[in-house]
């Protein structure tokens, strides 16, 4: 099994927004560690095209998300500069079957590393928390995959939109924050910050612990998506999405051609 070759195959489908068969169909013995290695090779490949690593995401950190895709483990993915949206307009160009989901993003003011990182370390390293919307677009047919497949496909990472307003970590009870997502003015899903590993701060701590196995950590200035609070919502051209973060405001996204 040649991980470089598998990575090149996935990178091609990511870059061009073309769907593909699951990697595990051809490589049923693929291990999670191999899948993370493939993910890394794909990002190095994107790096050679000028994309910069700007952060990380946790995925499948809520029961709603795990149930939706049938994978019961938290995973991580890498966020690059081309994934960051600079306007709330999502173009369908180059996308396969995108879904959007509400997220809470941590922005770091210090590096974080180590296998014993606790929530208090995360608080000390957090500059602010920003409401965010993530666009996921699995490269696999029918959005169907195993744990190994989705890890190799960079946890379905595609785009993310950060809200304009940053919030102090200290004046909101993030676990009690209610989040709802509507499409075309119809409520789709609702959840609470605590649906993300009891508290989103724990998602960042878990990410650091997972990365420490690879000998890496988080860097100052990075953005960390802590994982979809609710199930994701399918979108198509013409849709408008509104995510409501209670007293912290709303984030809107419109889907264009
Ligand atoms: C995997 C990515 C999950 C999240 O926030 O749970 C994710 C997927 O559902 O395709 O981004
Ligand atoms: Mg997500």
């Amino acid at each position: 099994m040649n991980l470089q070759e598998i990575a090149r195959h996935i990178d091609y489908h990511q870059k061009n927004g073309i769907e593909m068969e699951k990697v595990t169909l051809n490589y049923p013995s693929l291990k999670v560690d191999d899948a993370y290695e493939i993910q890394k090779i794909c990002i190095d490949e994107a790096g050679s095209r000028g994309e910069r690593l700007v952060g990380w995401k946790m995925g499948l950190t809520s029961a709603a998300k795990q149930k939706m895709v049938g994978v019961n483990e938290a995973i991580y993915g890498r966020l690059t500069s081309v994934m960051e949206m600079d306007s709330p307009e999502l173009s369908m160009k180059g996308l396969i079957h995108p879904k959007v989901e509400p997220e809470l993003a941590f922005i770091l003011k210090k590096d974080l590393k180590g296998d014993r990182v606790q929530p208090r370390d995360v608080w000390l390293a957090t500059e602010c928390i920003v409401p965010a919307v993530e666009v996921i677009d699995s490269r696999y047919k029918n959005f169907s995959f195993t744990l190994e497949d989705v890890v190799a496909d960079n946890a379905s990472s595609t785009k993310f939109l950060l809200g304009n307003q940053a919030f102090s970590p200290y004046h909101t009870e993030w676990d009690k924050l209610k989040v709802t997502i509507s499409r075309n003015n119809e409520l789709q899903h609702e959840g609470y910050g605590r649906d993300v590993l009891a508290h989103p701060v724990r998602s960042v701590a878990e990410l650091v612990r997972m990365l420490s196995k690879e000998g890496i950590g988080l860097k100052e200035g990075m953005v960390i998506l802590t994982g979809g609070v609710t199930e994701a919502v399918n979108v198509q051209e013409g849709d408008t999405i509104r995510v409501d973060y209670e007293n912290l405001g709303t984030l809107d996204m419109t889907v264009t051609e």
Side-chain angles (χ1 to χ4, degrees):
M1 187 166 45
N2 182 332
L3 299 184
Q4 292 278 350
E5 201 174 292
I6 301 173
R8 262 201 305 278
H9 182 70
I10 295 178
D11 176 62
Y12 171 82
H13 290 80
Q14 289 174 335
K15 190 175 62 186
N16 295 297
I18 301 171
E19 65 179 8
M20 58 183 277
E21 298 288 356
K22 284 186 279 205
V23 173
T24 53
L25 284 182
N26 285 326
Y27 303 97
S29 62
L30 189 83
K31 298 280 179 292
V32 183
D33 288 349
D34 298 329
Y36 276 117
E37 181 61 26
I38 291 170
Q39 180 189 119
K40 182 175 177 299
I41 298 170
C42 288
I43 294 297
D44 289 346
E45 197 60 38
S48 69
R49 293 191 293 270
E51 294 182 35
R52 282 174 299 108
L53 185 71
V54 297
W56 298 79
K57 66 176 268 186
M58 282 291 271
L60 310 182
T61 46
S62 65
K65 286 282 320 188
Q66 292 188 352
K67 226 169 102 196
M68 186 172 185
V69 299
V71 174
N72 298 318
E73 246 176 82
I75 58 176
Y76 65 78
R78 290 160 159 92
L79 302 176
T80 75
S81 44
V82 302
M83 297 177 191
E84 185 161 5
M85 298 171 67
D86 48 21
S87 97
E89 275 190 13
L90 175 68
S91 166
M92 287 294 287
K93 276 198 198 81
L95 303 183
I96 305 165
H97 40 207
K99 300 175 194 256
V100 299
E101 56 190 16
E103 300 258 356
L104 292 166
F106 282 54
I107 313 283
L108 301 185
K109 62 180 172 191
K110 283 189 189 155
D111 296 357
L112 264 176
K113 195 173 171 178
D115 59 355
R116 289 168 179 236
V117 161
Q118 295 296 336
R120 67 174 177 282
D121 304 305
V122 177
W123 290 129
L124 285 171
T126 299
E127 172 68 21
C128 58
I129 298 179
V130 182
V133 177
E134 187 186 12
V135 180
I136 50 174
D137 193 25
S138 174
R139 266 52 65 164
Y140 300 116
K141 285 187 177 158
N142 304 316
F143 228 107
S144 159
F145 42 69
T146 67
L147 170 65
E148 292 78 13
D149 290 307
V150 67
V151 166
D153 183 28
N154 195 24
S156 310
S157 300
T158 300
K159 299 260 170 211
F160 63 96
L161 175 69
L162 297 180
N164 287 325
Q165 186 62 50
F167 293 92
S168 157
Y170 302 115
H171 306 298
T172 299
E173 291 180 276
W174 298 98
D175 52 340
K176 297 194 178 121
L177 183 71
K178 186 178 177 183
V179 178
T180 66
I181 181 163
S182 305
R183 182 181 54 211
N184 305 331
N185 293 318
E186 261 178 54
L187 178 67
Q188 302 294 312
H189 305 291
E190 57 182 50
Y192 291 86
R194 62 174 168 270
D195 294 332
V196 174
L197 298 180
H199 194 300
V201 73
R202 295 190 172 275
S203 178
V204 181
E206 180 60 20
L207 171 64
V208 178
R209 291 192 289 261
M210 287 170 89
L211 291 181
S212 83
K213 294 195 189 103
E214 317 293 325
I216 48 182
L218 306 179
K219 297 278 182 222
E220 172 193 345
M222 280 185 159
V223 52
I224 316 298
L225 298 179
T226 49
V229 179
T230 70
E231 272 178 56
V233 173
N234 290 306
V235 289
Q236 56 183 29
E237 185 189 338
D239 284 344
T240 59
I241 294 291
R242 168 161 288 191
V243 184
D244 188 291
Y245 300 86
E246 247 178 349
N247 54 323
L248 304 186
T250 57
L251 255 183
D252 292 322
M253 187 181 279
T254 56
V255 187
T256 62
E257 193 182 338

